[in-house]
């Protein structure tokens, strides 16, 4: 890289005196005003937990108004209900009826994923949506059981209790996990710890969802092929071994015909809905139409006598109370807490992501902490009324959005339809073939496989792609919980790598400007002879302070060798550009001190440029500003170079 000649000192911040000496007029870098410990702690707490200033609307209000705002904060329905009208009701009723036609057959199938009777899937689309409608802040999200959480709950609970050998305790464990999932979700929101779910990166979620979709689809081969004896494991190897082991005598051709025919119908309906957005209702009602037709066909032909497996009896009536079925002690109590925390985290991540997506599309704000409280409360109430974990469904929320939903009333309409179904229609599902439920689930989960997102992740960040693929292959080849663990582990590993190995860069001066930029990004940026300018692109903490010092020393050695080889002046000044350094701790300051002492031994001056208020305050508090000399701390790299260059010329004269 070519180096420019030293500036003549006539740039910004300098002037010539009559005796041709150069003096510099520059503003000192000032430490911010002293802030008391209590005020500083208050500021940190506020930005960590109350960055959205939740109490700003309460200021200047009367006591009665503040009480009303407080109630409205817990129950947002009170706020938007005042402006509700018949036009909005029309849109919500249409949307609610549409998602109800989609959710009823899905709920029956998803309950089977959780190893529960079909009625529990319907129960979970009755009580939770009603609770959410009063407490949630999203207008578009559709609440109910979802495939991934159902599979995760079923897998984790099955590892503790066999649902076939001990169905009563298995059901109690599912309710217990749902209760503690709600406690976990509501607790995060109440304590304003919603930022914790952001540690599960988008790439990890894409991989996890894709792997879960493959696993769920493979699990449906039991119903799709009419297999009676099937593995309890979820990994692809075990599933395929079970499928092929049953190939000779375990497959039922009538079941395969039913499943394949209606899966084709469902996929064609989805294709039509994607091609023409006005026909969104086609894929929405296709599952219910499939259930009606297939059930009627099985009933009139009595195909169940030919080996076609059917749903059989579903109890009539709305949700019974289940508060007495939750484990609050005993050996299954801690298992319920563990399963609830894991499933609750996944459910929460999915719901908040869906709510934020549709809120952005309609340009309104979602309060993540309020969402968590609403989701947690609905699951706690749900666990007391025979529901298992409910959350936001992306497929149903998308249909809800396209159907013209205006408010959460669509969830109320859906819940009413589900309640009517439970009261009057469930006997009609007796002859519904399991194959049609398998086809509905397969068609639903295929949308979770986002190949375009994976390709984009590969193009943007290879480490993110590793997290994505780690989660995907972990779910597909090992288990759902291991895949989730891998995705979280890789996400944390990426954070640790970025924290412990921050990016650094050598800066050069852009031609005809006083701007200094990364020489790799801007090849025309010229290095200043005798001056090394380093930028640190991260806060300097105990985790990376030694690396920053060692990296700066290595940059210096390399540049010294390069200068010697090119016959250029040796480095006499090292300028560290600190504008990206948002914070520094005692270890960071100690490392900078060590770098300063090491440079002094080599007769090289350390210069700091543009430290932020937090950094400069700590530099003054540690006395390092005095040690290095306040005259060696500059507002900008340009100012530092303007002062150092004449000194360098004097040393070389």
């Amino acid at each position: 890289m070519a180096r420019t000649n030293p500036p003549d000192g006539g740039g910004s911040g300098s002037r010539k005196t009559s005796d041709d000496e150069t003096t510099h007029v520059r503003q000192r870098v000032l430490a911010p005003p002293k802030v008391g410990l209590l005020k500083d702690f208050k500021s940190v707490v506020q930005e960590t937990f109350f960055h959205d200033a939740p109490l700003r609307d309460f200021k200047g209000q009367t006591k009665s108004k503040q009480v009303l705002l407080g109630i409205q904060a817990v129950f947002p329905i009170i706020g938007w209900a005042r402006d509700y009208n018949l036009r909005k009701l029309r849109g919500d009723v249409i949307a609610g009826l549409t998602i109800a036609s989609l959710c009823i057959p899905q709920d029956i199938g998803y309950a089977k994923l959780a190893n529960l009777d079909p009625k529990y899937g319907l129960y979970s689309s009755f009580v939770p949506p009603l609770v959410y409608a009063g407490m949630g802040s999203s207008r578009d999200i559709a609440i109910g059981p979802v495939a991934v959480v159902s599979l995760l709950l079923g897998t984790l609970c099955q590892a503790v209790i066999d649902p076939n050998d001990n169905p009563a305790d298995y059901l109690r464990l599912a309710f217990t996990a749902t209760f503690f999932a709600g406690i976990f979700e509501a607790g995060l929101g109440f304590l304003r710890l919603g930022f914790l779910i952001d540690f599960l990166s988008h790439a990890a979620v894409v991989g996890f969802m894709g792997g879960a979709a493959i696993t769920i689809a493979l699990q449906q081969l039991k119903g799709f092929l009419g297999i009676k004896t099937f593995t309890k494991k979820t990994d692809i190897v075990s599933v395929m071994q079970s499928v092929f082991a049953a190939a000779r005598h375990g497959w039922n051709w009538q079941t395969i015909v039913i499943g394949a025919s209606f899966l084709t119908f469902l996929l064609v309906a989805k294709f039509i809905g994607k091609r023409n957005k006005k026909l969104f209702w086609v894929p929405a009602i296709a599952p219910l139409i499939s259930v009606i037709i297939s059930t009627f066909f099985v009933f009139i032909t009595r195909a169940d006598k030919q080996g076609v497996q059917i749903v059989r009896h579903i109890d009539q009536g709305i949700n019974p109370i289940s508060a007495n079925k939750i484990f609050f002690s005993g050996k299954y109590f801690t298992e319920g807490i563990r399963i609830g925390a894991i499933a609750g985290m996944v459910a929460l991540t999915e719901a908040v992501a869906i709510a934020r997506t549709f809120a952005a599309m309609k340009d309104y704000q979602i309060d993540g902490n309020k969402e968590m409280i609403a989701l947690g409360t609905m699951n706690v109430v749900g666990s007391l009324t025979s529901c298992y974990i409910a959350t936001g469904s992306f497929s149903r929320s998308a249909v809800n959005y396209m159907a013209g939903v205006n408010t959460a009333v669509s969830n109320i309409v859906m819940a009413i339809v589900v309640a009517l179904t439970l009261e009057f229609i469930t006997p009609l599902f007796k002859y519904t073939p399991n194959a049609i439920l398998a086809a509905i689930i397969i068609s639903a989960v295929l949308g979770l496989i986002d190949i375009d997102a994976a390709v984009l992740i590969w193009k943007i960040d290879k480490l993110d792609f590793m997290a994505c693929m780690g989660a995907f292959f972990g779910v597909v080849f090992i288990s759902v919980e291991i895949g989730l663990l891998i995705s979280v582990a890789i996400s944390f590993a990426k954070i640790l790598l970025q924290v412990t190995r921050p990016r650094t860069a050598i800066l050069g001066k852009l031609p005809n400007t006083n701007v200094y930029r990364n020489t790799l990004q801007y090849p025309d940026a010229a290095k200043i002879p005798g001056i090394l300018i380093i930028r640190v692109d991260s806060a300097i903490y105990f985790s990376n302070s030694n690396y920053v010092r060692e990296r700066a020393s290595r940059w210096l050695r390399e540049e010294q060798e390069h200068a010697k080889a090119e016959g250029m002046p040796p480095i006499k000044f090292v300028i560290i550009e600190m504008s990206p350094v948002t914070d520094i701790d005692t270890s960071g300051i100690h490392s900078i001190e060590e770098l300063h002492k090491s440079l002094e031994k080599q007769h090289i001056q350390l210069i700091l440029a543009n430290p932020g208020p937090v950094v400069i305050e700590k530099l003054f508090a540690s006395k390092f500003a005095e040690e290095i000399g306040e005259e060696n701390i500059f507002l900008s790299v340009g100012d530092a170079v303007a002062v150092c260059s004449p000194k360098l010329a004097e040393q070389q004269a």
Side-chain angles (χ1 to χ4, degrees):
M1 179 69 68
R3 293 180 180 265
T4 60
N5 293 322
D8 59 7
S12 174
S14 64
R15 69 178 188 269
K16 291 275 187 172
T17 59
S18 56
D19 58 358
D20 206 33
E21 291 182 356
T22 305
T23 60
H24 299 273
V25 178
R26 65 181 181 92
Q27 178 69 45
R28 290 179 60 236
V29 178
L30 302 177
K34 287 286 185 181
V35 178
L37 179 62
L38 184 61
K39 190 173 182 180
D40 187 42
F41 178 74
K42 180 182 177 182
S43 176
V44 171
V45 171
Q46 183 174 334
E47 288 305 312
T48 303
F49 301 103
F50 304 98
H51 62 280
D52 53 347
L55 301 179
R56 63 184 180 278
D57 295 333
F58 290 79
K59 293 181 179 179
Q61 302 291 346
T62 62
K63 290 292 183 182
S64 58
K65 181 67 173 178
Q66 288 179 346
V67 171
L68 180 62
L69 288 173
I71 297 173
Q72 187 175 314
V74 179
F75 301 101
I77 190 173
I78 296 173
W80 55 260
R82 292 196 294 266
D83 300 323
Y84 203 69
N85 53 46
L86 288 175
R87 182 187 62 80
K88 291 182 178 180
L89 178 62
R90 176 179 174 274
D92 288 339
V93 169
I94 293 173
L97 292 174
T98 306
I99 59 175
S101 68
L102 179 60
C103 87
I104 291 170
Q106 284 186 347
D107 290 346
I108 295 172
Y110 292 161
K112 287 183 171 293
L113 277 177
N115 301 312
L116 297 170
D117 288 340
K119 62 184 179 182
Y120 294 108
L122 295 172
Y123 291 163
S124 302
S125 277
F126 173 46
V127 173
L130 292 177
V131 176
Y132 181 85
M135 299 185 67
S137 56
S138 173
R139 307 170 194 167
D140 304 277
I141 196 171
I143 297 297
V146 297
V148 173
V149 177
S150 299
L151 176 67
L152 182 61
L153 179 68
T155 303
L156 294 174
C157 289
Q158 185 176 257
V160 179
I161 303 174
D162 191 307
N164 298 317
D165 296 342
N166 193 353
D169 280 349
Y170 181 89
L171 180 62
R172 293 185 65 186
L173 181 61
F175 290 155
T176 304
T178 301
F179 177 83
F180 285 107
I183 294 294
F184 174 78
E185 292 170 338
L188 285 181
F190 183 76
L191 297 174
R192 304 190 68 81
L193 297 173
F195 59 85
L196 292 178
I197 66 171
D198 293 331
F199 281 98
L200 196 59
S201 69
H202 171 68
V205 171
V206 168
F208 176 75
M209 289 296 185
I214 298 292
T215 300
I216 292 167
L218 291 172
Q219 290 289 305
Q220 301 317 301
L221 292 177
K222 176 184 178 183
F224 196 84
L225 301 175
I227 301 173
K228 294 182 179 180
T229 303
F230 201 71
T231 180
K232 295 178 181 179
K233 297 180 180 179
T234 61
D235 64 282
I236 188 172
V237 176
S238 299
V239 170
M240 297 313 295
Q241 284 177 344
S242 185
V243 168
F244 289 119
R248 292 187 64 184
H249 305 291
W251 294 12
N252 181 273
W253 71 267
Q254 294 98 328
T255 300
I256 295 173
V257 169
I258 294 172
S261 300
F262 284 100
L263 178 59
T264 302
F265 169 68
L266 292 168
L267 294 177
V268 170
K270 289 185 74 172
F271 178 76
I272 292 172
K274 283 185 177 181
R275 289 293 298 270
N276 189 340
K277 298 298 183 184
K278 293 182 180 180
L279 298 177
F280 68 89
W281 52 270
V282 172
I285 66 171
L288 188 59
I289 292 174
S290 300
V291 168
I292 293 171
I293 295 175
S294 63
T295 302
F296 178 72
F297 172 77
V298 171
F299 175 72
I300 62 173
T301 62
R302 294 313 306 265
D304 57 307
K305 301 292 186 181
Q306 306 299 319
V308 174
Q309 298 175 25
I310 58 176
V311 172
R312 300 192 185 281
H313 178 70
I314 299 179
D315 293 339
Q316 281 183 270
I318 59 173
N319 307 35
I321 300 301
S322 58
N324 61 330
K325 294 183 178 180
I326 297 175
F327 290 114
F328 288 109
S329 61
K331 61 180 179 179
Y332 297 131
F333 172 65
T334 53
E335 290 294 340
I337 295 175
R338 179 183 65 86
I339 295 170
I342 296 171
M345 175 66 89
V346 175
L348 199 58
T349 302
E350 186 171 357
V352 172
I354 292 168
R356 286 174 176 170
T357 297
F358 287 103
M361 292 169 68
K362 284 192 174 180
D363 195 26
Y364 66 93
Q365 295 296 317
I366 286 292
D367 187 323
N369 291 300
K370 287 182 181 178
E371 281 294 287
M372 293 174 193
I373 294 174
L375 292 164
T377 303
M378 79 178 189
N379 277 318
V380 169
V381 175
S383 70
L384 305 177
T385 52
S386 299
C387 303
Y388 75 94
I389 300 175
T391 187
S393 165
F394 185 81
S395 60
R396 274 174 265 167
S397 298
V399 170
N400 204 26
Y401 171 80
M402 291 186 286
V405 65
N406 294 299
T407 68
V409 168
S410 65
N411 277 296
I412 298 176
V413 174
M414 178 191 71
I416 292 172
V417 174
V418 171
L420 293 174
T421 301
L422 284 164
E423 283 287 359
F424 304 109
I425 305 176
T426 49
L428 300 180
F429 290 110
K430 179 179 179 180
Y431 290 98
T432 299
N434 288 341
I436 192 62
L437 300 178
I440 289 170
I441 293 174
I442 290 172
S443 67
V445 299
L446 288 178
L448 297 176
I449 304 173
D450 197 340
I451 297 175
D452 291 338
V455 171
L456 184 61
I457 290 168
W458 166 259
K459 292 179 179 178
I460 294 174
D461 192 316
K462 301 301 185 287
L463 199 57
D464 262 355
F465 185 77
M466 286 180 60
C468 179
M469 289 297 99
F472 178 82
F473 288 116
V475 171
V476 171
F477 286 98
I478 307 176
S479 66
V480 178
E481 60 268 34
I482 293 299
L484 182 62
L485 181 62
I486 290 173
S487 64
V488 172
I490 295 178
S491 296
F492 270 99
K494 182 184 177 184
I495 294 172
L496 290 174
L497 183 62
Q498 291 174 334
V499 170
T500 58
R501 294 295 182 267
R503 296 184 184 276
T504 58
I506 291 182
L507 305 186
K509 187 171 180 290
L510 293 178
N512 304 316
T513 70
N514 199 34
V515 176
Y516 292 81
R517 291 292 183 266
N518 188 342
T519 54
L520 291 178
Q521 184 180 1
Y522 298 91
D524 291 342
K527 299 174 185 177
I528 310 300
I531 301 175
L532 174 61
I533 308 170
I534 301 172
R535 188 182 68 210
V536 180
D537 294 334
S538 168
I540 304 177
Y541 292 132
F542 66 93
S543 58
N544 62 23
S545 57
N546 285 331
Y547 171 78
V548 170
R549 174 177 53 80
E550 291 169 1
R551 189 68 184 95
S553 299
R554 182 148 51 94
W555 278 127
L556 177 61
R557 287 196 302 272
E558 292 172 358
E559 290 301 305
Q560 290 282 42
E561 291 171 1
H562 177 74
K564 185 176 180 181
E566 296 291 327
M568 312 256 332
I571 304 296
K572 291 298 182 182
F573 295 94
V574 172
I575 301 174
I576 298 183
E577 156 68 306
M578 302 192 75
S579 55
V581 181
T582 55
D583 200 358
I584 191 169
D585 65 3
T586 52
S587 297
I589 293 174
H590 183 64
S591 287
I592 298 295
E593 286 177 340
E594 288 182 349
L595 177 63
H596 172 57
K597 292 175 182 177
S598 173
L599 293 176
E600 275 189 327
K601 293 177 182 178
Q602 303 173 59
H603 305 290
I604 299 174
Q605 177 63 54
L606 177 64
I607 304 290
L608 304 181
N610 197 20
V614 175
V615 175
I616 193 64
E617 180 183 10
K618 292 182 178 181
L619 292 179
F620 274 104
S622 66
K623 306 298 183 182
F624 179 68
E626 297 177 11
E627 181 181 338
I628 193 176
E630 292 185 36
E631 69 278 5
N632 292 314
I633 304 176
F634 293 81
L635 280 174
S636 69
V637 172
D639 286 350
V641 172
V643 170
C644 293
S645 293
K647 294 180 179 178
L648 189 64
E650 290 176 5
Q651 293 176 13
Q652 295 172 355

